[in-house]
Amino acid sequence: IPCSMSSHAEESDSTKPVRGYIDGCFDIMHSGHYNAIRQAKNICDVLVVGIHSDPEIAENKSMPVMKQDERYSLLEHIKWIDEIIHDVPYSPQIATLERAGADFCIHGDDMPVNAQGVCAYDEMRLAGRLRIVKRTEGVSTTDLIGRLLTLSRSQPSEWDGRQSPRMGFRVSADDAIA
C-alpha cells in the first residue's frame, strides 16, 4: 500500500521556538539516520527525537539487532538532538506530538507501512503536520544487515578463529593496549 507524502505548510508565532519531532528505530545507526536527524534539526529550533521500544519494532517490522537500552543511549550523543522520548508508537499520533510539545512531525521520503498495512504517518499527513526530508540513497539498516550476513557466510570454514585473511589477527583489548 503506497503512502502519500504530501504535507501542508504551517505558520508559527515567530516569538515561540519551532519544535519538530522525528522518530525511528535507530537500529545499527548509519549515515542515513544521521542525515535525517540533521535535516530535521534544520527545519526547527528544538528537535525532539522519539525512539521505538523493542516490542513496538517487533510488532511492526522485525526484532532490532541492537538492544533497546543500546539504541536509547546512542541518541544521547547526537549533537542535533535537543530532547529524547522513549517508547513512542510506530505510527505517531497527535497525542505523540502533544507529548513531545512539537508543532509537526518529520520523516524521510520513504514512508513505512505499519502492522495494520497503512502508512505509519497518515495521521500526521491528514492533520497537515507532516514535514518531509530527503532520504539518503544507498544506505539502510536492512542493507547493512544483509551485507553482514553475506560476509559471515563467506568466511572460510578452515579459519581457526584467530586469523582471517581479510581481517588480520584478532587480539584482546589488553594485548592491543600493551
Side-chain angles (χ1 to χ4, degrees), residues 131-152:
R131 303 295 177 273
I132 303 299
V133 294
K134 184 160 177 33
R135 180 184 184 279
T136 303
E137 294 296 325
V139 64
S140 74
T141 301
T142 303
D143 289 344
L144 290 173
I145 291 169
R147 282 192 260 166
L148 288 169
L149 290 172
T150 299
L151 286 172
S152 70

Side-chain angles (χ1 to χ4, degrees), residues 51-80:
I51 185 164
H52 311 304
S53 66
D54 286 350
E56 190 73 8
I57 297 168
E59 179 184 337
N60 289 278
K61 295 177 86 169
S62 64
M63 278 306 295
V65 174
M66 294 176 69
K67 295 176 185 168
Q68 182 171 292
D69 291 340
E70 294 169 333
R71 294 181 300 101
Y72 283 6
S73 65
L74 181 69
L75 295 179
E76 295 171 9
H77 306 283
I78 300 174
K79 68 181 181 179
W80 303 291

